[in-house]
Amino acid sequence: MRRSRRLASTVLLLTAGIATACTSEGTQPHGGDGPWTLNGLVATAAGATIQRSIDAPPSKGTAKILGIAGVADTDVILSVKDGVCQVTPLPASLTEPTGTAPTSVGAPRPAGHASSDAHQEFPGTILDGKYTAASAQLQPFQFATVGCSEKAMAVQIEGIGGALPMKKSGDSLQVWREGQNAVIAVGLPEAIHGQAPKQSTS
């Protein structure tokens, strides 16, 4: 994995119904107690094609889609489900739901052993408070890192070429470019900090 060892990360790659979770201690983390702020956010209008693709078998249950960003010819879907912040790429030209759930990268709701924003790197430069993080190759991009906190989630996508990321939907969605990467965040505004967006998100 290309990320710094200083970042106590959790890796969760969801594909074809297979979920793998690990931490630096080798144990599966547990979510926090009480209501999760991200669960309380209003879902965005994603459309049946996207919703049914995210929830396609072997996935179970219904994801709450919080935001959609456009990066090149791809829709990047930010959602929460079963205590996990999930990032899923789908072709922007998709007109019919996928037959199986697409590959996603997810990080669980933070618990006692989560990292904090004392780390001077992504996602600590974006998310306020404790968070978990997951990183993986995520087609059609080179690499993606997602951070998950109590009040916000963020994803950094590498390998976007000359694309200018755009906001498509989501009341609290913020999208901007940092060098050769796209950064997408959704959640309570006071929980998202760091570099201000370089482009309009309207």
Side-chain angles (χ1 to χ4, degrees):
M1 188 172 292
R2 304 189 303 174
R3 293 292 167 265
S4 166
R5 292 183 181 179
R6 292 192 310 123
L7 181 61
S9 64
T10 301
V11 176
L12 180 63
L13 178 60
L14 306 173
T15 179
I18 299 174
T20 305
C22 63
T23 65
S24 57
E25 291 82 23
T27 59
Q28 185 164 339
H30 300 284
D33 297 325
W36 189 19
T37 301
L38 286 182
N39 269 340
L41 296 180
V42 176
T44 190
T49 298
I50 290 176
Q51 187 72 60
R52 289 169 59 189
S53 295
I54 298 294
D55 297 333
S59 177
K60 296 180 180 179
T62 302
K64 176 181 275 191
I65 297 175
L66 300 179
I68 303 172
V71 183
D73 296 323
T74 303
D75 286 340
V76 179
I77 319 299
L78 277 64
S79 63
V80 290
K81 181 179 178 181
D82 297 330
V84 174
C85 293
Q86 181 173 295
V87 177
T88 309
L90 286 171
S93 59
L94 195 66
T95 58
E96 295 291 334
T98 59
T100 58
T103 301
S104 298
V105 178
R109 180 183 180 186
H113 296 293
S115 300
S116 73
D117 57 6
H119 291 271
Q120 300 301 310
E121 56 187 272
F122 186 88
T125 54
I126 305 297
L127 297 178
D128 184 43
K130 289 186 175 182
Y131 59 82
T132 60
S135 300
Q137 292 181 347
L138 190 64
Q139 295 294 331
F141 308 108
Q142 292 177 359
F143 210 76
T145 301
V146 57
C148 183
S149 76
E150 280 294 310
K151 299 179 180 180
M153 65 181 292
V155 60
Q156 178 176 267
I157 297 175
E158 301 176 24
I160 66 170
L164 185 63
M166 302 179 301
K167 173 178 178 176
K168 286 197 166 183
S169 68
D171 290 345
S172 63
L173 190 76
Q174 298 182 45
V175 180
W176 66 99
R177 183 178 174 119
E178 288 187 352
Q180 297 301 307
N181 304 327
V183 179
I184 308 163
V186 67
L188 300 186
E190 63 269 22
I192 302 170
H193 61 89
Q195 184 173 357
K198 294 181 178 179
Q199 70 168 82
S200 170
T201 56
S202 59

